[in-house]
Amino acid sequence: MKTVHDMVDAAKAEIHEVSVGEAEAAISGADYLIDVREDDEFHDGHIAGAINIPRGLLEFKMSNDEGLCQRDKQILLYCKTSGRAALSAKALKELGYSQVSSIAGGFDAWVAAGKAVVTPKLPDFD
């Protein structure tokens, strides 16, 4: 019986991952940088310029948004450690997106490399 780790490994064999060292160039060349983590994870900190589309909604959002449904756009995905992003990249490839990549090691690798993180601040109501 397959495990989720088997599924992630299989997905990674079919997708393109960029290293954290290559990520800044990939981000500048991407039409969309998509963080597939959950909303609370995104609000705790994310890569500048990222849009948040949680993994569970990705295919629906991509298919129903006029801008996102263009299958030839450069899309770069990331999540916490790269598993959700790999599954997301594979799913988008299956939907016909031709230029999809993910960041190897995900957000954790980005932070460990000392890269900049955006941390939104909630308004102070005091």
Side-chain angles (χ1 to χ4, degrees), residues 41-78:
E41 294 174 286
F42 182 80
H43 291 292
D44 284 344
H46 58 271
I47 299 172
I51 57 174
N52 182 225
I53 306 175
R55 170 71 191 104
L57 300 174
L58 184 68
E59 293 91 331
F60 298 102
K61 290 271 191 181
M62 297 297 286
S63 296
N64 292 318
D65 183 285
E66 191 172 312
L68 296 172
C69 70
Q70 298 175 30
R71 305 291 201 273
D72 62 342
K73 296 292 184 182
Q74 287 272 26
I75 298 170
L76 182 61
L77 305 165
Y78 72 91

Side-chain angles (χ1 to χ4, degrees), residues 8-114:
V8 169
D9 290 343
K12 286 186 176 190
E14 296 180 35
I15 65 162
H16 178 255
E17 285 189 301
V18 298
S19 69
V20 170
E22 302 166 315
E24 287 177 336
I27 289 168
S28 66
D31 294 300
Y32 299 107
L33 173 63
I34 302 175
D35 183 329
V36 297
R37 299 176 301 154
E38 295 299 316
D39 293 340
D40 60 331
E41 294 174 286
F42 182 80
H43 291 292
D44 284 344
H46 58 271
I47 299 172
I51 57 174
N52 182 225
I53 306 175
R55 170 71 191 104
L57 300 174
L58 184 68
E59 293 91 331
F60 298 102
K61 290 271 191 181
M62 297 297 286
S63 296
N64 292 318
D65 183 285
E66 191 172 312
L68 296 172
C69 70
Q70 298 175 30
R71 305 291 201 273
D72 62 342
K73 296 292 184 182
Q74 287 272 26
I75 298 170
L76 182 61
L77 305 165
Y78 72 91
C79 64
K80 180 175 172 44
T81 60
S82 74
R84 286 175 283 179
L87 295 172
S88 298
K90 182 178 183 241
L92 292 181
K93 279 183 67 177
E94 290 174 1
L95 287 174
Y97 289 86
S98 60
Q99 299 183 70
V100 181
S101 300
S102 69
I103 299 175
F107 188 72
D108 285 358
W110 179 269
V111 170

